[in-house]
Amino acid sequence: MSDTQIFDPDAGAAELKTALARAAAEIETSIDTLLPPVTGGEAVLLDAMRYATLGGGKRLRGFLVTEIASLFGASRDAALRVAASVEMLHAYSLVHDDLPAMDDDDLRRGRPSTHRQFDEAIAILAGDALQTRAFEVLAEEATDADPAIRVALVAALARASGAAGMVGGQVIDIEGEGKSLPLEQVRRLHALKTGALIRYAAEAGAILGRAGVKERAAIAAYGRDLGTAFQIADDVLDATASAEELGKTAGKDEAAGKSTYVSLLGIEGARAEAARLSGDAVDSLKLFGAPAATLRALARYVVERRN
Amino acid sequence: MSDTQIFDPDAGAAELKTALARAAAEIETSIDTLLPPVTGGEAVLLDAMRYATLGGGKRLRGFLVTEIASLFGASRDAALRVAASVEMLHAYSLVHDDLPAMDDDDLRRGRPSTHRQFDEAIAILAGDALQTRAFEVLAEEATDADPAIRVALVAALARASGAAGMVGGQVIDIEGEGKSLPLEQVRRLHALKTGALIRYAAEAGAILGRAGVKERAAIAAYGRDLGTAFQIADDVLDATASAEELGKTAGKDEAAGKSTYVSLLGIEGARAEAARLSGDAVDSLKLFGAPAATLRALARYVVERRN
């Protein structure tokens, strides 16, 4: 009997829903605890940081941290801090992406975007301070007693989110507007813009859990394929779903003249690519057996979701 | 003979000029080495990061790191990395401060500000990526073999630059426009907006140099008073110097209806306060004797400078 047959590959779909909801609630509490209270002459900044980060979202990145940390037996308190940190980093990127000089988006998670709720200056600064706090939370002793683990998390988050990661991908995306990019460049764009942070979230769980080299490589491959599958599914949703379903503006990519998986492969081709990557992500989890059932279900969920 | 009389208190003025020029050149090289080369679809981002950070500036923060690290015998290579990091952090804050939604400034160091040279979206993202890189440089092994030192630097920089430091101060400043703030609030504003990062730069040198508790407290006091003196001198310059002298727009505070040390104390009162703090900063260096002559000269220089 092979390693893959000792558990039901479709197991975990029901558990996933429960685990996602539980983690989202716990991550929300963790963020709330880790953000400064609203006080002083800078109250509006602290208020905007909370507005941008609290109040929902799928918490996919934070969930990856907690699930994978749990797979390796890491402390849940530590995992929730690292999960809150990556969600702060993600929230900062959304606040800045929504600015008039960038995507000029009025709507985020069904609410006014941060610069619409406050103003542009406060949105820029709230994003800046959320990035800072994301790194600070990782560096604080409560995250892990071992400074080598904390600094490894800081280095990994920086690599994933800076010019060689998320922000670099964002610029390739902007520069590609109105141009026809080849598939290879669209792949690199997404590997950086969305993929790097999702992959980081997976690896962060493995770092916290002191995973071995082989386990960490498997988790990195899972995170990489999951991230790409997620982004392709996002392109498909942008092309097919309504703003009401998405809780944000739909059809933005086509309006901006962007090369996407959908414009290059068509909707069905993009769906097939996402399904293939989702399968690869599931395969990467072979060595973890049954305890990884929820992570397998997650890889299937990201390509089937409606928002 | 007391500790303070074994050296000439006015020594170091000539050495300061030499040391500042030498450090500025070395820090420039360090930044150049530590920023990614300009390539790929994100080339414009990497170009903007370099434009915003390279090509001059006093490098006061970086100089503080290298001088104080040297006082404690830390490696100069390590100090130059930490100096480059704090200058990247400072540059990010200037790029974002100059944006149309913030100070809307077209001029910086006598050149077009980053959003004028590139565009707003690239300026926002270049600032974001400079912040990230500042943290990444601290976290990298080349900065110090001991992860505890690296993570202490990350935590200290985050504390100094986030909502409880530089960005918080920036928001108090914006919120105070057109209002009359009491002196106590102006003090807190500046302690956060400019003071925190200057104090960090001093403390970072002490962290790198494994300074003891007493030495570190003295350096923190020096950095705190130096930072405040520097900011008051900046207020005085804004009210009295020309744009040509400053290399940036002059008279901005009054135009924005800001409460400053000058509006609260008058030009002579502000100059006297800066001189008093400069003297306090000098006094904090007593226990270091002659090797701190350049740092004493720096405390005098920041209140006498013309730009």
Side-chain angles (χ1 to χ4, degrees), chain A:
Chain A
M1 198 156 83
S2 92
D3 192 38
T4 53
Q5 293 174 307
I6 58 171
F7 58 91
D8 173 4
D10 284 328
E15 289 84 350
L16 174 65
K17 209 172 167 180
T18 311
L20 269 170
R22 177 186 165 218
E26 287 183 319
I27 293 167
E28 186 90 2
T29 302
S30 178
I31 296 168
D32 183 49
T33 307
L34 291 169
L35 286 178
V38 178
T39 182
E42 68 276 35
V44 63
L45 172 75
L46 306 169
D47 200 16
M49 289 169 73
R50 292 178 163 275
Y51 179 84
T53 321
L54 295 168
K58 290 179 293 288
R59 308 295 187 200
L60 167 68
R61 293 156 193 81
F63 179 68
L64 273 171
V65 175
T66 58
E67 274 300 302
I68 292 168
S70 152
L71 193 63
F72 293 106
S75 135
R76 186 149 189 101
D77 281 354
L80 284 169
R81 288 177 60 92
V82 177
S85 161
V86 74
E87 292 293 340
M88 288 178 201
L89 198 298
H90 178 54
Y92 122 66
S93 78
L94 299 181
V95 171
H96 283 190
D97 281 2
D98 285 343
L99 287 167
M102 309 263 283
D103 286 356
D104 194 12
D105 222 318
D106 293 345
L107 201 60
R108 170 67 64 183
R109 291 174 183 163
R111 299 186 306 172
S113 48
T114 304
H115 68 276
R116 297 289 296 174
Q117 182 72 15
F118 297 85
D119 63 32
E120 273 187 64
I122 294 301
I124 293 166
L125 292 165
D128 290 345
L130 282 169
Q131 177 180 180
T132 317
R133 186 65 185 137
F135 284 109
E136 188 173 28
V137 166
L138 297 181
E140 286 170 347
E141 208 165 341
T143 295
D144 197 289
D146 183 351
I149 295 289
R150 304 205 299 277
V151 87
L153 290 167
V154 169
L157 179 59
R159 209 158 37 236
S161 69
M166 182 185 80
V167 171
Q170 174 69 4
V171 171
I172 301 173
D173 197 22
I174 291 172
E175 293 297 303
E177 282 180 17
K179 289 180 201 164
S180 183
L181 298 183
L183 185 58
E184 190 189 332
Q185 281 183 38
V186 170
R187 280 192 208 283
R188 177 162 184 264
L189 186 173
H190 289 311
L192 298 181
K193 188 184 171 193
T194 326
L197 197 63
I198 291 177
R199 179 177 158 158
Y200 157 79
E203 290 196 87
I207 293 172
L208 261 187
R210 275 82 169 158
V213 173
K214 193 178 154 197
E215 284 77 14
R216 189 157 158 190
I219 290 297
Y222 170 80
R224 183 195 62 216
D225 292 335
L226 182 83
T228 309
F230 177 84
Q231 182 57 51
I232 299 176
D234 224 47
D235 283 3
V236 171
L237 282 170
D238 184 80
T240 59
S242 70
E244 200 183 338
E245 284 174 294
L246 292 179
K248 61 183 180 183
T249 311
K252 287 197 299 183
D253 294 337
E254 195 179 345
K258 285 184 181 175
S259 299
T260 66
Y261 283 102
V262 169
S263 73
L264 287 162
L265 303 174
I267 288 174
E268 284 317 308
R271 282 194 173 128
E273 174 95 346
R276 184 181 66 73
L277 286 159
S278 166
D280 288 350
V282 168
D283 287 345
S284 294
L285 299 175
K286 268 183 189 165
L287 71 158
F288 303 112
T294 311
L295 289 169
R296 283 185 200 91
L298 179 66
R300 285 185 287 267
Y301 162 76
V302 295
V303 297
E304 287 159 11
R305 70 204 162 90
R306 306 300 308 159
N307 61 56

